[in-house]
Coordinates of all heavy atoms in Angstrom, one line a residue:
G154 N 20.2 26.5 12.2 CA 20.7 26.9 10.9 C 20.1 26.0 9.9 O 19.9 26.5 8.8
C155 N 20.0 24.8 10.1 CA 19.4 23.8 9.2 C 18.0 24.2 8.9 O 17.5 24.2 7.8 CB 19.5 22.4 9.7 SG 19.0 21.1 8.5
A156 N 17.3 24.6 9.9 CA 15.9 25.0 9.7 C 15.8 26.4 8.9 O 14.9 26.5 8.1 CB 15.3 25.2 11.1
A157 N 16.8 27.2 9.1 CA 16.8 28.5 8.4 C 17.2 28.3 6.9 O 16.8 29.1 6.0 CB 17.6 29.5 9.1
L158 N 18.1 27.4 6.6 CA 18.6 27.4 5.3 C 18.2 26.3 4.4 O 18.2 26.5 3.2 CB 20.2 27.1 5.4 CG 21.0 28.4 6.2 CD1 22.4 28.0 6.4 CD2 20.8 29.6 5.3
Y159 N 17.8 25.1 5.0 CA 17.6 23.9 4.1 C 16.2 23.9 3.5 O 16.1 23.5 2.4 CB 17.9 22.6 4.8 CG 19.3 22.2 4.5 CD1 20.2 22.3 5.4 CD2 19.6 21.7 3.2 CE1 21.6 21.9 5.1 CE2 20.9 21.4 2.9 CZ 21.9 21.5 3.9 OH 23.1 21.1 3.6
P160 N 15.1 24.2 4.1 CA 13.9 23.9 3.3 C 13.7 24.9 2.2 O 13.1 25.9 2.3 CB 12.8 24.1 4.5 CG 13.5 24.1 5.7 CD 14.9 24.5 5.5
Q161 N 14.4 24.7 1.1 CA 14.4 25.5 -0.1 C 13.2 25.1 -0.8 O 12.8 24.0 -0.9 CB 15.7 25.4 -0.8 CG 16.9 25.8 -0.1 CD 16.9 27.3 0.1 OE1 16.5 28.1 -0.7 NE2 17.5 27.7 1.2
P162 N 12.6 26.2 -1.6 CA 11.4 25.8 -2.4 C 11.8 24.9 -3.6 O 10.9 24.2 -4.1 CB 11.0 27.2 -2.9 CG 12.0 28.2 -2.5 CD 12.9 27.5 -1.5
S163 N 13.0 24.9 -4.1 CA 13.4 23.9 -5.1 C 14.6 23.3 -4.8 O 15.3 23.7 -3.9 CB 13.5 24.8 -6.5 OG 14.5 25.7 -6.3
A164 N 15.0 22.3 -5.6 CA 16.2 21.6 -5.3 C 17.5 22.5 -5.6 O 17.5 23.3 -6.5 CB 16.3 20.4 -6.2
L165 N 18.4 22.4 -4.7 CA 19.6 23.2 -4.8 C 20.7 22.6 -5.7 O 20.7 21.4 -5.8 CB 20.2 23.3 -3.4 CG 19.4 24.1 -2.3 CD1 20.2 24.0 -1.0 CD2 19.3 25.5 -2.7
A166 N 21.4 23.4 -6.5 CA 22.5 23.0 -7.2 C 23.6 22.6 -6.3 O 23.5 22.8 -5.1 CB 22.9 24.1 -8.2
S167 N 24.6 21.9 -6.8 CA 25.6 21.3 -5.9 C 26.4 22.5 -5.2 O 26.8 22.3 -4.0 CB 26.6 20.5 -6.8 OG 27.3 21.3 -7.7
G168 N 26.7 23.5 -5.9 CA 27.4 24.6 -5.2 C 26.5 25.3 -4.1 O 27.1 25.7 -3.0

Side-chain angles (χ1 to χ4, degrees):
C155 188
L158 296 174
Y159 265 109
Q161 296 291 327
S163 62
L165 294 174
S167 63

